Amino acid sequence: MIHWILMTAGLIVSFVLLVKGADFFVDGCVSIARLLHVSNLIIGLTIVAMGTSAPEAAVSISSALSDPENAGITIGNLLGSNLLNILIILGISAVIVPVAADKSLFRKDFPLLLCSAVLVPLIFYIGGMNGKRWGGLILIAFFAVFMVWTILSAVKERKNALAAGSKTDEDEDEKPMSVPKSILYAVGGLIVVILGGQLAVYCAKDIAHGLGVSETLIGLTIVALGTSLPELITSVVSAKKGCSDIALGNVVGSNLFNILMVMGLSMIIAPFSVTPENMIDALCVLGATVLCFGASALKKKLDKKEGIIFLLVYGIYLAYIILRDL
């Protein structure tokens, strides 16, 4: 009884850490974007995305190293996190405030996200239902292309902004914080967010194991939710602060980081076996990515209607994986 009370208390503390850490993290990143004269979208795609994906990286790579024969936590965590990012995080953010889709996303980031969503089930199928090292190398190569392309875009954007003698975000009214303060807010907030996410995962996994459910289901639900909490809190806080471009950039960047970098590294470090259920989950991620791309392209934004649809779709998927595990 005392153990369960401690685990529940740990979850509550982790949520508090996530909320406060994300608040400081978003403020620091927005200030850095203004100091560098680059858009919030670029910051969301890079610094925010990789920072909030740190829990997925830690959990998945650790799981691959400790138990390569049973990849339930590794695959479930990554695929489950990507589904949560699109359907829950963007869904909740869009319900709170319309999430604008910058046209630059459709030139590079969304096509690459769709490509990565296609690559994963394709690699699984060609590899004979295995995540092999050559597949990991392909994913890492695509991640390198994404990072180089994004950095070049940021450099070009900064030069254009400085040449025009104007700020990148025209609607900025607040002055950025000082450089040391911006870094302190961003780094300190990120550390708190990661610690909160790790505490949430530890407590949630302990509770889930006590209930006797499978590792794949734990990875797709409890662990995926726990490691996605930084993205969820950061995106919701960004949306409430009027920085919806950070919210969308965070989700797109995090999903690219999860699949291309984290899953790629997991395959290279310890190739794993893939179950038919894993393949179905990978196809569900592809379907959610297509849904997000189509909804964003239609109106160049996601509003409350799309948000509700995303949440309902995730509810159907959640019911399916729970029934599948019975």
Side-chain angles (χ1 to χ4, degrees), residues 165-222:
S166 61
K167 296 177 181 179
T168 304
D169 295 302
E170 296 178 357
D171 59 346
E172 298 179 343
D173 294 324
E174 299 179 10
K175 292 183 179 180
M177 296 179 283
S178 65
V179 174
K181 189 175 181 180
S182 299
I183 295 174
L184 178 63
Y185 268 56
V187 175
L190 175 59
I191 290 172
V192 174
V193 165
I194 292 174
L195 289 175
Q198 290 298 303
L199 178 60
V201 170
Y202 174 79
C203 296
K205 282 182 68 175
D206 188 275
I207 293 171
H209 277 300
L211 297 175
V213 297
S214 71
E215 281 202 351
T216 299
L217 183 60
I218 292 173
L220 284 167
T221 54
I222 304 298

Side-chain angles (χ1 to χ4, degrees), residues 85 95 131 159 197 274:
N85 285 349
V95 168
K159 286 181 178 178
V274 178

Side-chain angles (χ1 to χ4, degrees), residues 45-101:
L45 283 166
T46 53
I47 298 173
V48 178
M50 282 188 267
T52 56
S53 288
E56 283 93 335
V59 171
S60 296
I61 293 174
S62 296
S63 178
L65 286 169
S66 63
D67 191 9
E69 295 301 318
N70 190 347
I73 291 290
T74 300
I75 302 176
N77 177 34
L78 293 174
L79 297 179
S81 291
N82 278 20
L83 279 167
L84 275 161
N85 285 349
I86 294 174
L87 300 176
I88 295 294
I89 295 173
L90 278 183
I92 293 175
S93 298
V95 168
I96 294 173
V97 63
V99 177

